[in-house]
Amino acid sequence: MTTTAAAPTTDTELLRAAAEHVRRHDTAALLRALLPGLDGVELRALTDRCRFAHTALLVFPPDADALHRLLADAGLPADAPARPSTVVRERLAARHGRDAPGLEVGILRPPVTGADGEQRVVEVFALTVPPGSDLSELAELERELQHEAHLGFEVDRPDPLVLRGLCALWERHGARPDGGGYNPHEDGTVLYFTAPAGSKAGFARVELYAPGDHRELLAEHLARHRAGQPAEALLRQLTGAWTTQALAAFAELGVPEAMDQQLPRSAQQLAQAVGADPETLRSLLRYLAMLGAVVQDGGGFRLAPSGELLRADAPGSLRPLALLYAGPFYRSFGELAGTVRTGQVAFDRLFGENHFDHFARDPYLAELFDRSMAASTRMFDPLPNHPAVRAAAAASTPGAPRTVVDLAGGTGELLARLLTAHPALHGVLLERPQVADAAREFLAQAGCGDRTACLPGEFADVPPGGDVYVLSRVLHDWTDERCREILRHLSAAMPAHADLLVVERLLPEDDSPSLATAWDLHMRCNVGGRERTAEHYARLFADAGLELVGHDPLPLDAHVLHVRKSAPASRI
């Protein structure tokens, strides 16, 4: 309960305030006050599946008779016996470093009729504190801080799917997991949340009560609660390097290829298949099960969907990224402090050259890099339907097909998608000589080689006369000045009617979480580039005589920026 200068301070005053709160509120009004931003559909979903059931508080009578007098003084019936409270007893013990068996906490639920005629209760937790007890200090502190005061909502017809949906909705609106438990005395599962920062309900905590045993969901809820605790959260973050290496070792050893999604195999069987030490492999697999990459099934392990993406032959395989991030980029990230201190690229200092030159001289790394770029191509899925691409396809004629020009397009994954979706289009791909050769082969296998020209060259060699130009995940590799040079080459080659589509991750204008924030640090440490906001890109485009028309979201937190040539200034 929120405390103010005029807040009740005695147990009797607290009980009276709680009873009055129950009388005055109904489910819908309380949910609107509790979760700012709920829309009508979400409110209906909540009111259909849960109801305001109680207001709760913790009191500290000296004995059972005093508890009954407290209830009577607050106008609440006092004839029902108290039942044991497992959840609150455990919370008090953890908070104050006490043995739980020494804290006999009971629950009473005297009924109250709400303003809407609904029957609710005041949930009274009672810890007996006789005069002179060593619990007196605990009682005074708890009475002042009201840790156990909360609003309670009971879930109707609880099943795991409904409960998960309700929890996700509460968290989406700012409520955060705050513990919980299973009470075997009444066969009920309690999920606690902290109220959102903007809540106007007057209580800092909320309870979702689900009749029945839902301990599997409770375990997930408690894990999210622990992950939100500063020390545990920091420890998980500090061990992030272990995660990178564990996933990469899993991929490098070929363990995903030796596993099945349906049939569990023992660590001994898998170790024999890949040539590994059984006990150490079992330890790795247990860790990966915690990450969700594999599933422990009896005495064996199955491949989870995310682990499937580490197979070399999986569609959209992320294996190349795992090996890069755990290989040369992992080494250079160890020098991040130097990059932050000086602004210099750690990769360049460590390897003596930039990563493009370094990879170009190593065929294995060059191939790994090209395959890693293809690993995130799911972000390309919406691009064949972009209005600029569809317009070019519609304007194509048999004698005069429109052309898509993909600059630094890798092995041609994006261009192949565009040409496959629109058979009337032709394509041009500009890349480094060795990559252009690989792209030519890939595009031929994709069935569009006869409509594509693969040209070796640099950004200064942008072919003129295209109708749609594509620049995918290129500008974030470079400094602002180099971006301006690239864009000026583009602007000079683009006809007045042409469109430019730029695929990048955009840094958010506010502090909302984004993959771009992580990639910004990666680019600065390993490449010398950076991620940018849409406004920043707009300034770079303007410096090259281009104009940002708009941008739309893509999968994997990417965006496509639609750019055209700026209209010439009118003469007076």
Side-chain angles (χ1 to χ4, degrees):
M1 190 180 298
T2 303
T3 57
T4 66
T9 56
T10 68
D11 286 347
T12 301
E13 290 173 334
L14 289 165
L15 279 166
R16 287 174 178 163
E20 181 61 21
H21 186 273
V22 173
R23 293 188 186 100
R24 287 190 293 108
H25 290 88
D26 62 77
T27 300
L30 200 53
L31 284 169
R32 282 193 294 266
L34 184 64
L35 300 176
L38 273 180
D39 61 31
V41 174
E42 292 170 325
L43 180 62
R44 172 60 66 87
L46 285 174
T47 55
D48 281 351
R49 300 312 297 260
C50 65
R51 62 181 184 86
F52 173 41
H54 67 258
T55 298
L57 75 163
L58 174 61
V59 297
F60 304 92
D63 52 46
D65 289 340
L67 174 60
H68 288 144
R69 288 195 298 273
L70 278 174
L71 294 170
D73 289 346
L76 297 170
D79 49 355
R83 303 181 67 178
S85 169
T86 302
V87 177
V88 172
R89 182 186 67 178
E90 298 293 337
R91 284 173 58 86
L92 284 172
R95 199 154 53 236
H96 296 279
R98 297 269 184 165
D99 290 332
L103 300 173
E104 293 299 328
V105 181
I107 310 177
L108 297 97
R109 295 190 174 95
V112 175
T113 302
D116 55 2
E118 290 284 332
Q119 288 298 307
R120 301 187 175 92
V121 301
V122 176
E123 187 168 77
V124 183
F125 300 110
L127 173 63
T128 301
V129 181
S133 166
D134 65 348
L135 296 175
S136 298
E137 185 177 344
L138 178 155
E140 287 305 312
L141 188 61
E142 288 290 332
R143 188 179 286 117
E144 176 185 355
L145 298 179
Q146 289 295 301
H147 285 300
E148 298 306 322
H150 65 261
L151 301 176
F153 292 82
E154 184 165 341
V155 181
D156 295 324
R157 308 180 305 281
D159 62 58
L161 185 62
V162 166
L163 284 175
R164 282 187 172 85
L166 290 174
C167 289
L169 185 54
W170 285 82
E171 292 182 45
R172 187 158 65 244
H173 284 277
R176 293 291 175 261
D178 187 37
Y182 171 69
N183 191 338
H185 302 291
E186 56 187 39
D187 188 29
T189 304
V190 174
L191 306 172
Y192 285 124
F193 295 85
T194 57
S199 170
K200 296 179 175 58
F203 283 74
R205 293 177 64 246
V206 187
E207 172 192 308
L208 273 186
Y209 176 81
D213 186 344
H214 303 280
R215 276 180 276 193
E216 181 177 347
L217 183 136
L218 174 65
E220 298 170 10
H221 181 80
L222 295 176
R224 291 198 299 277
H225 170 55
R226 288 193 300 271
Q229 303 306 299
E232 180 150 347
L234 185 58
L235 278 173
R236 290 178 183 274
Q237 292 161 357
L238 287 171
T239 59
W242 304 353
T243 297
T244 303
Q245 291 296 337
L247 290 168
F250 183 58
E252 182 180 341
L253 292 169
V255 185
E257 285 79 4
M259 297 183 72
D260 187 86
Q261 286 202 19
Q262 306 299 325
L263 180 66
R265 301 187 69 186
S266 70
Q268 181 73 40
Q269 290 172 315
L270 293 170
Q272 185 174 0
V274 302
D277 175 69
E279 285 303 311
T280 309
L281 180 59
R282 182 179 289 108
S283 179
L284 174 64
L285 290 169
R286 283 198 302 264
Y287 182 73
L288 294 172
M290 187 175 71
L291 299 177
V294 304
V295 177
Q296 285 190 269
D297 188 344
F301 298 88
R302 293 185 287 107
L303 199 58
S306 61
E308 177 77 17
L309 288 171
L310 291 173
R311 295 175 65 112
D313 59 352
S317 172
L318 297 182
R319 184 178 186 274
L321 278 176
L323 299 179
L324 269 184
Y325 291 162
F329 288 150
Y330 186 89
R331 292 178 58 195
S332 54
F333 241 114
E335 305 293 325
L336 177 62
T339 291
V340 175
R341 185 182 299 113
T342 66
Q344 297 175 1
V345 183
F347 192 103
D348 296 7
R349 294 200 314 273
L350 186 64
F351 293 99
E353 57 188 340
N354 70 60
H355 97 282
F356 292 111
D357 292 338
H358 185 73
F359 287 4
R361 292 193 305 100
D362 185 324
Y364 169 74
L365 288 178
E367 182 186 4
L368 196 62
F369 180 74
D370 288 337
R371 286 193 285 119
S372 74
M373 292 297 288
S376 301
T377 53
R378 191 165 67 85
M379 68 174 60
F380 298 156
D381 288 349
L383 288 177
N385 286 318
H386 191 279
V389 179
R390 286 192 285 108
S396 290
T397 62
R402 296 297 176 99
T403 301
V404 177
V405 181
D406 193 355
L407 305 172
T411 55
E413 174 73 29
L414 174 53
L415 186 58
R417 289 184 182 224
L418 300 179
L419 299 184
T420 301
H422 301 286
L425 292 174
H426 280 212
V428 175
L429 185 135
L430 182 72
E431 255 294 358
R432 294 159 291 160
Q434 67 274 21
V435 181
D437 291 338
R440 192 174 293 109
E441 181 179 346
F442 176 85
L443 289 161
Q445 291 175 351
C448 44
D450 58 339
R451 291 185 285 132
T452 309
C454 294
L455 307 179
E458 302 293 334
F459 290 115
D461 304 314
V462 177
D467 299 286
V468 177
Y469 288 79
V470 179
L471 203 58
S472 175
R473 298 178 295 173
V474 171
L475 295 180
H476 74 161
D477 288 333
W478 306 102
T479 64
D480 282 1
E481 188 51 44
R482 179 60 171 149
C483 285
R484 292 187 186 96
E485 292 177 15
I486 295 169
L487 292 168
R488 286 179 184 130
H489 290 308
L490 256 168
S491 183
M494 286 172 61
H497 73 274
D499 295 281
L500 168 62
L501 301 181
V502 176
V503 176
E504 294 288 359
R505 289 190 171 96
L506 295 180
L507 284 173
E509 301 285 354
D510 55 19
D511 59 354
S512 56
S514 168
L515 285 174
T517 303
W519 255 262
D520 185 43
L521 198 61
H522 166 67
M523 302 310 292
R524 292 172 185 271
C525 182
N526 290 295
V527 180
R530 65 208 58 194
E531 306 295 347
R532 299 170 173 91
T533 63
E535 182 182 351
H536 192 155
Y537 276 119
R539 293 196 300 269
L540 295 177
F541 298 144
D543 290 344
L546 301 167
E547 180 181 359
L548 177 61
V549 177
H551 56 84
D552 297 295
L554 296 173
L556 303 179
D557 236 357
H559 282 76
V560 54
L561 295 88
H562 186 191
V563 183
R564 302 206 73 182
K565 296 193 78 165
S566 301
S570 59
R571 295 183 179 178
I572 299 176

